[in-house]
Amino acid sequence: IIAKRDGKAEEQAPEPEPATEDLSQSIREMVREQVQAASCNALLEAKLAGLTPIEQYVVRAKFEGRIFEASEVDAEIAKIRDLAGKSNPVSPNGSGRVDRVIESFDVNKARLQAAIDRKPFAEVGGRQVEAFHTVSEALLAFDPSKSHEFAVRPQRAFQNALREFTWGGGELSDRVNEGIEHTTFAAAWADALNRHLLAAVADPNRNNWRALISNRVSLRDLTSTHKFVQLTSLGVLDTVLPGAPYQEVNAYQEDQQQTMTPSKYGNLFLITWEALLRDDIGVIARIPGDIANAWTLTLHDAVFGAIQGPAGVGPLMAYDSTPLYADAHGNLGTLAFSAENLKAQRLVMKKFTDPTTGRRKGYNAKYLLYSVDLEAAVWEAVVSTYKLTSVAAEINLPNFIRERMGLEVIEVDYPIATETRWELVADPASAPTLGIGFLGGREVPDVFVQDMETVGSMFNSDTVTYKVRGAVGVAPLDHRSFVRGNA
């Protein structure tokens, strides 16, 4: 290009070409970073998949949105898990920060269980970990992200934690698995309560009534009356002559039925706002034990109340509209407890006959039920090596009750207070004794929690409310399986 300047021709320099190479480099760099970021995000999600929620929280906070190497994430996870092996109390402060170390779910769960069991330590992987001392310590160990909520509104944090789950209409563990994450405080808390309930209903020392049950059923609802059918005895088989036909018998047309109507039981357990603000682990530690104790006492009274009845003579037997213990049944004794009277009442049971065949049923007394006030006399009669007698010639004779009768004793806290009651119950393995039914076959109660802050107890009175509900029915099946002494 030629231009004139001062009348002289001059060559003009060409305009520079666009910096296409620099632009291409920038685009390539941006694409590379995007690809690398996407790769890191995918790697991070893959690493997070195998971690606990607390580990995920810490790792995500450090690496999300950053470019990093896989080895950096692995090192951070190893560091967190190393710290998880060290117990360190959690304490929220005014800034919302938490001075703590991250602990694994299993360790936290063990520490919570120890606190609920009122133990100072728990064993995890062969080492001791200290039980939680406060509610906030426990909750923040499971979820440190709640620290700000605890610092600003502690009462709401407590309430939210205790109402995160609800279950009912099935086994507690199943409902928990459906409704909450497995590695949260709610899961550990629900599991602890479930363990208490299952242990309570399985503890033979708290459920001595189980030995008396001959029939167990699963109830479909609470409105229907369940019928237990007792088939009458076939008696002695007829002699059949050569070539002769077998004779029919109608014994099974005279079925004997006893009915049972289930009852619903329940209560509300309240935790006040003021109690939660004390931040004492004992506030929630007593809940599982209280619920378990209440349910086992309910079952105890349901069973022994069915034997005792509202007037001490048991319920009406559906097959003859006569009380369980009645003169018409021949089992209504008024004898004070003694070794001789015990032997006499045993014979009463052994002599009961079948209403169809007239043959003796052959029921043997296996269990001796007695009021706690008779403890000394009962144990002397049952455990003594030698016969209890004032006759000098008989003092070295073996104790017939111990050697021959082989009774098992059950101390009963009867629903209707008594100091003198005792009775014999036949062996459930060979006689119809008691029938029991649970709704849906579940022997643990349903538990619900008030979970809305704008209605109910949380709104009206600043309380967290647990509702416990269970259903059970019990009925004696045959009066011949029971003989009463004194009432």
Side-chain angles (χ1 to χ4, degrees):
I1 300 175
I2 305 298
K4 289 185 176 182
R5 186 177 182 182
D6 297 332
K8 297 180 180 180
E10 183 178 276
E11 184 174 352
Q12 185 175 342
E15 295 182 3
E17 293 290 335
T20 55
E21 186 174 347
D22 292 342
L23 180 60
S24 299
Q25 179 65 26
S26 298
I27 294 175
R28 283 196 297 270
E29 186 68 24
M30 182 177 64
V31 171
R32 185 184 69 79
E33 289 179 356
Q34 290 179 344
V35 171
Q36 193 173 9
S39 176
C40 285
N41 285 338
L43 174 62
L44 179 61
E45 293 303 320
K47 295 288 186 180
L48 292 175
L51 305 183
T52 68
I54 292 177
E55 292 170 342
Q56 289 178 2
Y57 173 82
V58 176
V59 173
R60 187 184 296 278
K62 183 168 184 177
F63 293 101
E64 193 168 40
R66 287 183 51 210
I67 304 300
F68 54 84
E69 299 292 335
S71 58
E72 295 180 72
V73 181
D74 293 335
E76 184 66 19
I77 294 173
K79 178 182 176 182
I80 294 171
R81 290 179 173 173
D82 178 62
L83 290 173
K86 304 171 184 177
S87 176
N88 188 24
V90 181
S91 57
N93 55 34
S95 66
R97 296 173 56 196
V98 182
D99 302 318
R100 66 180 307 277
V101 293
I102 303 300
E103 297 192 76
S104 69
F105 175 73
D106 289 340
V107 172
N108 288 329
K109 181 178 175 182
R111 296 182 69 192
L112 178 63
Q113 187 70 53
I116 292 173
D117 293 340
R118 313 295 177 88
K119 297 178 180 178
F121 298 97
E123 291 285 340
V124 181
R127 65 186 180 86
Q128 281 192 336
V129 292
E130 190 175 1
F132 289 123
H133 299 288
T134 65
V135 182
S136 61
E137 180 185 358
L139 296 177
L140 290 172
F142 285 95
D143 189 356
S145 67
K146 300 288 186 183
S147 59
H148 181 70
E149 184 179 13
F150 270 98
V152 177
R153 293 191 63 188
Q155 75 280 6
R156 181 165 187 166
F158 289 138
Q159 289 175 335
N160 288 342
L162 292 180
R163 66 182 175 88
E164 280 183 350
F165 66 93
T166 177
W167 67 96
E171 288 292 340
L172 170 59
S173 56
D174 294 338
R175 297 293 297 173
V176 169
N177 289 343
E178 293 172 9
I180 59 179
E181 294 184 25
H182 296 274
T183 52
T184 63
F185 170 82
W189 166 235
D191 182 67
L193 179 50
N194 186 44
R195 286 179 54 175
H196 269 263
L197 289 174
L198 293 177
V201 299
D203 185 352
N205 296 320
R206 304 170 72 181
N207 298 274
N208 49 18
W209 54 266
R210 292 182 181 278
L212 309 177
I213 304 299
S214 61
N215 295 68
R216 286 178 172 82
V217 295
S218 176
L219 304 176
R220 292 191 299 272
D221 55 58
L222 298 178
T223 59
S224 303
T225 298
H226 185 86
K227 294 182 178 180
F228 291 96
V229 178
Q230 306 297 330
L231 300 179
T232 55
S233 174
L234 191 63
V236 178
L237 297 177
D238 292 334
T239 300
V240 182
L241 297 176
Y246 289 84
Q247 300 300 308
E248 294 181 355
V249 294
N250 297 322
Y252 290 103
Q253 295 180 359
E254 300 177 13
D255 294 348
Q256 183 173 272
Q257 295 183 352
Q258 175 61 359
T259 59
M260 178 194 71
T261 302
S263 297
K264 180 172 65 175
Y265 303 89
N267 272 112
L268 301 179
F269 289 75
L270 306 181
I271 308 173
T272 66
W273 179 73
E274 291 78 8
L276 288 174
L277 288 181
R278 287 200 300 269
D279 197 13
D280 181 1
I281 196 74
V283 170
I284 65 170
R286 51 179 282 265
I287 295 174
D290 285 351
I291 293 177
N293 289 336
W295 182 241
T296 54
L297 288 175
T298 299
L299 295 180
H300 175 280
D301 282 7
V303 172
F304 294 108
I307 298 174
Q308 193 176 19
V313 292
L316 292 179
M317 306 302 286
Y319 53 77
D320 61 5
S321 299
T322 303
L324 170 65
Y325 292 117
D327 290 333
H329 287 160
N331 63 353
L332 179 61
T334 58
L335 301 172
F337 182 83
S338 69
E340 294 305 314
N341 290 340
L342 180 60
K343 288 185 283 188
Q345 293 300 80
R346 173 179 177 269
L347 283 178
V348 170
M349 182 179 292
K350 288 181 70 71
K351 291 181 179 180
F352 281 138
T353 59
D354 185 87
T356 302
T357 66
R359 298 293 296 267
R360 288 178 177 169
K361 300 287 288 185
Y363 291 169
N364 281 306
K366 182 173 183 179
Y367 295 100
L368 167 60
L369 314 185
Y370 68 94
S371 175
V372 63
D373 298 273
L374 297 175
E375 181 179 45
V378 166
W379 281 92
E380 285 179 0
V382 174
V383 178
S384 174
T385 303
Y386 300 102
K387 181 178 180 179
L388 299 180
T389 178
S390 58
V391 180
E394 297 179 347
I395 59 175
N396 290 323
L397 293 179
N399 182 3
F400 173 82
I401 297 173
R402 172 180 171 174
E403 300 296 330
R404 181 70 178 89
M405 294 175 65
L407 290 173
E408 295 183 26
V409 296
I410 297 178
E411 178 185 305
V412 182
D413 184 11
Y414 286 101
I416 300 177
T418 174
E419 296 180 358
T420 59
R421 188 180 182 95
W422 63 278
E423 51 205 319
L424 294 172
V425 182
D427 186 352
S430 58
T433 50
L434 287 170
I436 190 169
F438 292 93
L439 184 63
R442 300 187 304 275
E443 294 192 21
V444 296
D446 296 330
V447 181
F448 305 88
V449 63
Q450 170 68 39
D451 60 354
M452 295 191 64
E453 194 172 4
T454 56
V455 297
S457 64
M458 290 190 70
F459 180 78
N460 296 329
S461 55
D462 288 327
T463 59
V464 176
T465 303
Y466 286 83
K467 181 172 76 173
V468 182
R469 180 187 67 196
V472 61
V474 186
L477 304 181
D478 188 346
H479 67 269
R480 301 168 189 84
S481 300
F482 299 85
V483 174
R484 199 190 76 179
N486 203 346

